[in-house]
């Protein structure tokens, strides 16, 4: 999830874990601890673009990292808050703030390597990385709690925020199962044989859902709104296996292939190869010049093809949001 949401969740977790002992200082510690796993983004700025993407939500989002870091930060907090909190309580405070961060990230499309060094990412794909309907209940509960004089009253309102936001996560999970059923029914009715299917929400909502369908020779992309009245349709994109073979063995390509979990197509334009990650959909619906949300262009540097992210313009995001708002209302 976005950094602000993780800060809010970190504060709520810290308040429940140590609010009685640290009082309102939990707002400071929770904000810091809720941010720590995402510091891998900062590290990524010092790496090659592809390597920066590869490490995101890896080691820093793993149980191993939390187990090693929790006693260290717990000891520091114990020293800073001498006499207020013991080592065990402060270590648990750190661990739960870090763990709730990664548990929330698991619900997003990118997922996390919570069991690093294993490569598999766990991604439930039920919520977009920014969703105000999750964040606002937590934020409002914390604002109310800040004004309360005792821990028992603060805990009461923080728990309300947790219950509401967690209930929303449960709702998005139910809506995803409904959308998945609709996509599976549409594929069956259209006699489409497929190898794999993933379903995930579109930006900032849980009403409009996207599907990626892997067939033998192509990927199919489709969308479904809870308010739809017409059958689901799919757009086909050839896998371009020959272009893929031409990049095989290139280090950046192999890294991106792993990161995308195989959901990609290679295209070629003006003698340049483009790696298009299919998991996050399209920025436009122009069938003649499709632009994917996450694309990388390969350019020759020192005799080797290196991948760089394709920059996105502000108008791309604006057009995407207009398209989503129009599509949410149904077909």
């Amino acid at each position: 999830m976005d950094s602000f949401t993780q800060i809010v969740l970190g504060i709520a977790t810290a308040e429940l874990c140590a609010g009685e002992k640290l009082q309102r200082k939990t707002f400071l510690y929770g904000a810091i601890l809720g941010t720590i796993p995402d510091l891998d983004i900062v590290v990524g700025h010092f790496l090659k673009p592809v390597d920066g993407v590869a490490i995101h939500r890896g080691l820093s989002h793993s149980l191993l990292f939390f187990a090693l870091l929790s006693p260290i930060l717990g000891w520091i907090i114990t020293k800073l808050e001498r006499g207020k909190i013991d080592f065990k309580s402060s270590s648990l405070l750190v661990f739960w703030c870090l763990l709730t961060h990664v548990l929330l990230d698991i619900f997003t499309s990118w997922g996390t390597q919570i069991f690093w060094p294993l490569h598999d990412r766990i991604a439930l794909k039920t919520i977009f990385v920014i969703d105000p309907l999750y964040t606002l209940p937590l934020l409002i509960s914390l604002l109310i709690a800040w004004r309360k004089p005792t821990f028992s009253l603060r805990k009461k309102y923080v728990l309300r925020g947790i219950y509401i936001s967690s209930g929303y996560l449960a709702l998005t999970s139910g809506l995803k199962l409904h959308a998945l059923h609709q996509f599976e029914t549409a594929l069956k009715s259209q006699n489409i044989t497929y190898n794999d299917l993933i379903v995930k929400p579109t930006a900032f909502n849980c009403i409009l859902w996207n599907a990626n369908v892997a067939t033998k020779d192509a990927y199919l992309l489709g969308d479904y709104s809870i308010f739809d009245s017409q059958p689901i349709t799919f757009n086909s994109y050839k896998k371009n296996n020959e272009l893929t073979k031409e990049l095989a063995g290139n280090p950046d390509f192999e890294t991106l292939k792993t990161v995308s979990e195989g959901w990609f197509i290679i295209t070629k334009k003006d003698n340049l190869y483009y790696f298009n990650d299919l998991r996050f959909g399209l920025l436009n619906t122009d069938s003649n010049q499709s632009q994917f949300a996450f694309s990388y262009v390969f350019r020759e540097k020192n005799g080797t093809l290196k991948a760089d992210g394709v920059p996105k313009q502000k108008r791309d995001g604006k057009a995407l949001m207009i398209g989503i708002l129009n599509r949410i209302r149904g077909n």
Side-chain angles (χ1 to χ4, degrees):
M1 296 293 286
D2 63 283
S3 296
F4 180 74
T5 298
Q6 292 292 9
I7 288 172
V8 172
L9 178 60
I11 293 172
T13 303
E15 181 66 16
L16 295 179
C17 289
E20 189 169 16
K21 296 178 180 180
L22 299 180
Q23 297 302 315
R24 290 184 178 86
K25 282 190 176 181
T26 55
F27 283 64
L28 172 61
Y29 288 120
I32 294 173
L33 295 171
T35 305
I36 284 177
D38 282 341
L39 292 179
D40 60 357
I41 297 175
V42 177
V43 175
H45 287 311
F46 296 94
L47 304 175
K48 296 189 302 180
V50 171
D51 292 335
V53 171
I55 69 166
H56 183 44
R57 297 194 186 177
L59 169 63
S60 69
H61 285 64
S62 68
L63 291 175
L64 176 62
F65 180 74
F66 300 161
L68 294 173
L69 190 61
S70 295
I72 297 172
L73 295 183
W75 178 80
I76 293 174
I77 293 174
T78 302
K79 294 301 180 182
L80 293 173
E81 305 296 337
R82 193 180 302 273
K84 296 180 182 179
I85 189 170
D86 58 72
F87 173 72
K88 179 180 178 180
S89 297
S90 59
S91 296
L92 287 174
L93 162 66
V94 175
F95 180 80
W96 281 110
C97 285
L98 298 176
L99 182 62
T100 52
H101 178 118
V102 72
L103 290 178
L104 179 57
D105 277 348
I106 283 174
F107 283 87
T108 66
S109 296
W110 191 269
T112 67
Q113 288 178 262
I114 189 172
F115 298 115
W116 187 95
L118 298 180
H119 292 292
D120 293 339
R121 291 178 180 266
I122 299 178
L124 299 180
K125 300 180 175 67
T126 73
I127 191 171
F128 189 67
V129 291
I130 302 174
D131 194 324
L133 291 181
Y134 176 87
T135 308
L136 285 176
L138 271 180
L139 176 61
I140 292 171
S141 71
L142 292 178
L143 292 175
I144 296 173
W146 176 263
R147 298 170 60 88
K148 301 302 176 182
T150 64
F151 170 67
S152 60
L153 287 174
R154 294 200 307 274
K155 179 180 178 181
K156 174 183 176 182
Y157 285 98
V158 171
L159 282 173
R160 286 182 182 178
I162 290 288
Y163 293 152
I164 295 172
S165 60
S166 298
Y168 178 70
L169 278 182
L171 173 63
T172 63
S173 299
L175 290 174
K176 177 184 174 173
L177 291 175
H178 171 70
L180 175 62
H181 175 71
Q182 297 299 316
F183 283 116
E184 289 176 336
T185 301
L187 290 166
K188 183 178 180 180
S189 66
Q190 296 175 40
N191 296 315
I192 297 175
T193 301
Y194 60 97
N195 304 319
D196 201 1
L197 165 67
I198 59 173
V199 175
K200 70 282 187 189
T202 56
F204 310 117
N205 77 98
C206 61
I207 302 299
L208 180 62
W209 296 79
N210 284 340
N212 288 7
V213 185
T215 66
K216 181 180 179 181
D217 299 313
Y219 290 106
L220 309 180
L221 303 186
D223 53 41
Y224 166 74
S225 169
I226 303 300
F227 302 120
D228 275 357
S229 58
Q230 302 298 320
I232 294 172
T233 59
F234 298 94
N235 294 319
S236 178
Y237 298 84
K238 293 182 179 179
K239 287 187 174 181
N240 295 334
N241 291 325
E242 292 303 318
L243 292 178
T244 300
K245 291 178 182 179
E246 292 175 16
L247 284 178
N250 178 277
D252 283 358
F253 166 74
E254 297 297 339
T255 298
L256 289 171
K257 180 180 177 181
T258 299
V259 170
S260 68
E261 300 175 335
W263 290 95
F264 71 92
I265 58 173
I266 301 298
T267 55
K268 196 172 185 180
K269 180 181 178 182
D270 298 330
N271 290 321
L272 295 176
Y273 293 97
Y274 287 82
F275 183 104
N276 304 289
D277 192 324
L278 301 178
R279 295 172 301 161
F280 306 101
L282 293 157
L283 289 176
N284 64 52
T285 56
D286 183 354
S287 59
N288 296 320
Q289 194 173 2
S290 299
Q291 183 180 358
F292 291 86
F294 281 87
S295 292
Y296 299 83
V297 58
F298 284 80
R299 292 188 174 93
E300 186 172 337
K301 296 180 181 179
N302 299 322
T304 305
L305 289 177
K306 298 290 185 180
D308 287 313
V310 175
K312 290 178 277 291
Q313 306 297 324
K314 289 184 178 180
R315 63 176 180 271
D316 297 330
K318 182 179 179 180
L320 176 64
M321 287 311 304
I322 292 174
I324 289 175
L325 290 174
N326 289 332
R327 183 65 185 84
I328 280 177
R329 293 179 292 184
N331 58 17

